[in-house]
Amino acid sequence: MGNGVSCSFKTSANSAKCIDPDGNIRKLALPVEAAEVMLECPGCVVAPAKEVLISLRVAAMRADEELKPGELYLVLPAARAGCRARDAELRAIVRFSKKKRRMCCTKVFPVSEKEVKIEEKRNTGSPCSGMKSYRNWAPVLETISEGM
C-alpha cells in the first residue's frame, strides 16, 4: 500500500536508447559495451537511467560493461560522475522513457529560461556543484585543571 511506482524504459529486444550530452536520443544496436559509446563521445561516461532515478546520482558504468537490451542510458561529461543528477537530466529521462509514468522519487517542475540561466551561473564552479567538501572534525581534548 505504498506510493511507489515502477519505472520501465523498454525499447526493442536488440537495442538500447542513449541520451547524449546535447539531449538528443540515439538507438544503439546491441551488443555494445560502454567503452564503445565513450569512444564516440570523448570525455564522457555512460550512466544507466534507472540507477540515476533511484539514487539521484550519476553512477558511471565501467568501460567493459555491456549495455542491456531495452534500457535507457545517459551519456554525460566525466566530471559529472558521482554528482547529483540535475533536474534537466531527470526531465530527459522522463521525456524519453517509453511508458510515461509518475516517478516516485522525483519532482519535476516546469522551469523558465530565466531560472535555467540562474542555475547555470550557480553551477559554473565545480562539476559537482551541490557537493561541498567538509574537513573531518576532531575534538580538542585538553585537561581541566581543578584549582584548590
Side-chain angles (χ1 to χ4, degrees):
M1 205 194 235
N3 291 336
V5 177
S6 65
C7 304
S8 178
F9 305 113
K10 299 296 178 192
T11 59
S12 66
N14 58 355
S15 68
K17 286 183 180 180
C18 180
I19 302 172
D20 66 10
D22 299 325
N24 303 320
I25 191 156
R26 294 186 323 170
K27 215 173 195 181
L28 302 170
L30 297 180
V32 66
E33 290 184 350
E36 294 175 40
V37 178
M38 289 187 252
L39 286 174
E40 292 175 12
C41 187
C44 293
V45 294
V46 179
K50 282 185 180 180
E51 287 185 31
V52 173
L53 276 177
I54 291 169
S55 66
L56 298 179
R57 296 223 171 257
V58 178
M61 294 175 64
R62 292 191 331 255
D64 62 343
E65 285 186 70
E66 283 195 11
L67 275 62
K68 296 177 184 168
E71 296 294 322
L72 181 66
Y73 296 90
L74 292 173
V75 179
L76 300 168
R80 299 264 312 121
C83 294
R84 187 179 188 289
R86 293 183 178 155
D87 288 339
E89 295 159 355
L90 298 174
R91 281 194 301 270
I93 293 170
V94 172
R95 182 178 48 199
F96 290 120
S97 64
K98 190 172 184 179
K99 294 182 181 179
K100 298 190 179 192
R101 296 182 179 180
R102 202 183 108 205
M103 301 298 159
C104 58
C105 304
T106 61
K107 292 182 180 179
V108 180
F109 298 102
V111 179
S112 67
E113 290 181 26
K114 183 178 178 182
E115 291 173 340
V116 170
K117 289 178 184 176
I118 291 170
E119 182 181 341
E120 287 175 357
K121 285 181 184 177
R122 262 191 260 149
N123 293 336
T124 55
S126 70
C128 298
S129 60
M131 297 177 67
K132 296 180 182 177
S133 60
Y134 293 101
R135 290 188 302 163
N136 290 336
W137 179 78
V140 178
L141 301 175
E142 297 177 3
T143 57
I144 301 172
S145 61
E146 295 182 17
M148 285 200 196

